[in-house]
Amino acid sequence: MQKKIESVKAREIFDSRGNPTIEVDVQLNDGALGRASVPSGASTGDREVVELRDGGSRLRGKGVLKAVNNVNGPIRKKMIGESPYDQHHIDQLLIELDGTPTKKNLGANAILGVSLAVCRAAALTERMPLYRYLGGVDCELPRPFFNVINGGKHADSGIDIQEFLITPIGFDHFREGLESIDNTYHKLKSILADKALVTSVGDEGGFAPHLGSSEEAIETLIEAITKSGYQPGKDIAIAIDPASSEFYKNGTYHFEGKQLSSEEMIRYYQQLIQKYPIISIEDGLSEHDWESWVPLTKQLGKKVQLIGDDIFVTNPAIFSEGIKKGIANSILIKLNQIGTISETIETIKKARRAGYTTMISHRSGETEDTFIADFAVAMGAGQIKTGAMARTERVSKYNQFLRIEEELGQDTIMTPFPFKENLSHPSL
Ligand SMILES: O=C(O)[C@@H](CO)OP(=O)(O)O
Ligand SMILES: [Mg+2]
């Protein structure tokens, strides 16, 4: 039987922040049903594709019924009868039907929901796990980055840096690595409680304590790593996502009560990495400060990973400009920043060819969909950040990795981390 798309149906569901989002079902003529839902960011890059929302008074203007109707109307019509196997063709049809570079007509949320659901239906009808369908035999487990302290737009902790993450650098296997950062996360909770600090969590499951500064957050993390019986910089390393576009205004960084120039911001990071076992800095500078990314990369790019998130927005064309300018050495990959699987894969391929590392990322507003876990394995992406073990929409991704690890077998190790210079940190 020739497999074809028989029906496409979207509905409005809710994400982890209680905001509406879109879920799409794609059914094939043999009954296989692919279902996918779309996440949503808070600290979004200005050049991300358009997430279509309804406006008006219903659900605080955040409804997605327009996007739902676009799927149930024009997109459905276009998809019926198509083969689910040619992902590139499916995505191309969606891009052409929309007809805008920002996907604003149909909505990138509508388009991505369909792109993901078609892919899942194809894997299901082949009775293949999603990671196998997408990745073939060349699958690899990524290194997890756990977001354990939340600030910026993701929590009311008063800390300007949005994310403080830990990663199991001294472990080869996913489960043992995950256990080490989970132990550290729980130790951090008891340290915060002992200091009478709040242990409620932010949007991504990290704690949101009212600490005085980012350095204090890092010191507390180091205490948690050490008290859990691990060596900072050897077993577990630290990463940060300042999401600095959020505090960049009129050419200056409004950071921790000061107004810093780009050079001062770079110097601040320089001092941080000298002092602490930090191995990765995401969005250290703003998406509106391209020129300063050049000296940032020149000065720190050999020592640590410099990830571009808001600045590249997973967009192959924008990323190409960045590669040409020698900006960053790594890219954050978010499917909903660009809106289709094929374009996301194009960006990942570009990164690989240019020697950039890739980190697949959740959004701060997530659903129970675990697509990114399979996607990270299939792409051999090397790294994933998907929050901490306190919120089911994050835990579900880690649990999916554990299942995949079990299937791939004991010999499967996590991708080695390439930036070694700031490991086994001399000061420790
Ligand atoms: O800045 C980020 O990297 C993301 C995910 O952690 O946040 P948001 O989804 O709010 O853009
Ligand atoms: Mg970011």
Side-chain angles (χ1 to χ4, degrees):
M1 183 212 268
Q2 219 190 349
K3 308 280 174 72
K4 286 186 185 146
I5 296 174
E6 196 170 80
S7 76
V8 177
K9 183 169 175 20
R11 65 181 65 82
E12 193 177 60
I13 60 163
F14 287 88
D15 73 11
S16 56
R17 277 195 279 248
N19 289 327
T21 191
I22 188 166
E23 177 173 83
V24 179
D25 289 353
V26 166
Q27 189 151 26
L28 307 185
N29 54 347
D30 66 349
L33 176 77
R35 172 171 292 163
S37 52
V38 176
S40 177
S43 63
T44 47
D46 286 353
R47 293 161 94 186
E48 292 189 23
V49 285
V50 174
E51 185 180 68
L52 198 59
R53 300 249 173 220
D54 300 342
S57 59
R58 184 182 159 267
L59 287 166
R60 307 166 301 284
K62 290 179 193 278
V64 292
L65 290 180
K66 275 187 194 159
V68 164
N69 290 337
N70 287 342
V71 174
N72 293 340
I75 295 181
R76 183 186 150 276
K77 235 190 241 156
K78 194 88 187 163
M79 289 293 120
I80 302 253
E82 289 293 333
S83 160
Y85 296 121
D86 189 347
Q87 189 70 43
H88 186 78
H89 175 66
I90 292 285
D91 292 343
Q92 213 44 48
L93 286 178
L94 292 166
I95 291 165
E96 278 162 22
L97 189 64
D98 172 80
T100 68
T102 56
K103 301 186 174 67
K104 67 173 191 280
N105 278 346
L106 297 172
N109 40 353
I111 291 176
L112 181 63
V114 175
S115 181
L116 299 175
V118 169
C119 180
R120 212 176 234 138
L124 271 171
T125 191
E126 287 304 299
R127 294 197 166 77
M128 279 173 119
L130 184 57
Y131 70 89
R132 206 46 107 188
Y133 171 73
L134 268 171
V137 286
D138 198 17
C139 291
E140 215 170 75
L141 283 158
R143 213 159 274 280
F145 283 68
F146 237 51
N147 184 1
V148 289
I149 297 181
N150 292 185
K153 271 207 167 171
H154 293 172
D156 57 2
S157 60
I159 309 171
D160 288 332
I161 289 185
Q162 178 181 281
E163 300 170 23
F164 297 84
L165 308 104
I166 49 175
T167 189
I169 210 73
F171 299 86
D172 287 334
H173 293 280
F174 190 89
R175 179 180 280 275
E176 55 174 1
L178 193 64
E179 284 179 9
S180 74
I181 48 180
D182 187 52
N183 283 336
T184 306
Y185 175 70
H186 283 88
K187 183 59 75 184
L188 178 63
K189 185 173 186 175
S190 60
I191 291 171
L192 294 174
D194 287 350
K195 292 181 179 166
L197 290 161
V198 292
T199 53
S200 52
V201 298
D203 287 352
E204 301 189 341
F207 301 115
H210 289 266
L211 296 167
S213 67
S214 299
E215 286 215 32
E216 202 181 325
I218 296 169
E219 300 272 2
T220 313
L221 265 186
I222 289 180
E223 187 184 342
I225 296 169
T226 312
K227 285 195 171 151
S228 306
Y230 304 111
Q231 252 181 282
K234 187 161 181 283
D235 301 315
I236 295 176
I238 295 171
I240 53 173
D241 176 9
S244 68
S245 304
E246 298 298 329
F247 53 80
Y248 184 69
K249 277 168 198 97
N250 305 321
T252 47
Y253 292 88
H254 296 247
F255 183 70
E256 302 197 335
K258 289 181 263 183
Q259 293 197 18
L260 302 181
S261 66
S262 309
E263 297 73 45
E264 285 169 324
M265 232 26 234
I266 297 173
R267 224 169 302 137
Y268 171 75
Y269 295 132
Q270 186 117 42
Q271 282 160 10
L272 272 193
I273 64 174
Q274 263 158 20
K275 211 161 157 194
Y276 304 110
I278 292 172
I279 53 159
S280 179
I281 302 173
E282 179 184 324
D283 281 356
L285 296 176
S286 162
E287 63 178 309
H288 300 296
D289 193 14
W290 275 69
E291 321 77 63
S292 307
W293 273 85
V294 178
L296 170 74
T297 310
K298 281 209 179 104
Q299 287 170 45
L300 306 186
K302 291 268 177 301
K303 295 195 182 107
V304 293
Q305 177 169 270
L306 299 170
I307 309 177
D309 171 15
D310 289 355
I311 192 164
F312 298 145
V313 290
T314 316
N315 183 311
I318 298 174
F319 183 38
S320 288
E321 283 174 53
I323 294 171
K324 249 187 256 151
K325 291 199 160 88
I327 280 173
N329 55 27
S330 180
I331 178 169
L332 201 75
I333 301 291
K334 291 168 169 165
L335 285 144
N336 80 327
Q337 279 183 330
I338 186 67
T340 63
I341 295 177
S342 324
E343 289 163 289
T344 307
I345 293 176
E346 191 186 334
T347 302
I348 293 172
K349 280 188 179 157
K350 265 187 202 293
R352 203 157 291 148
R353 282 196 292 268
Y356 281 53
T357 53
T358 53
M359 182 188 282
I360 307 289
S361 171
H362 63 164
R363 298 307 307 242
S364 49
E366 266 294 331
T367 72
E368 62 273 33
D369 196 329
T370 56
F371 193 98
I372 57 167
D374 285 72
F375 189 65
V377 172
M379 294 297 116
Q383 301 167 39
I384 177 118
K385 72 164 181 175
T386 185
M389 294 290 213
R391 303 182 51 125
T392 310
E393 77 279 2
R394 321 282 152 186
V395 179
S396 59
K397 275 68 162 178
Y398 294 116
N399 286 342
Q400 178 69 354
F401 283 119
L402 294 175
R403 292 180 202 109
I404 296 175
E405 182 182 44
E406 190 181 286
E407 280 173 20
L408 292 178
Q410 275 308 301
D411 296 341
T412 315
I413 60 166
M414 293 183 283
T415 313
F417 188 78
F419 299 91
K420 305 224 182 289
E421 193 159 320
N422 221 29
L423 295 177
S424 299
H425 203 264
S427 66
L428 294 156

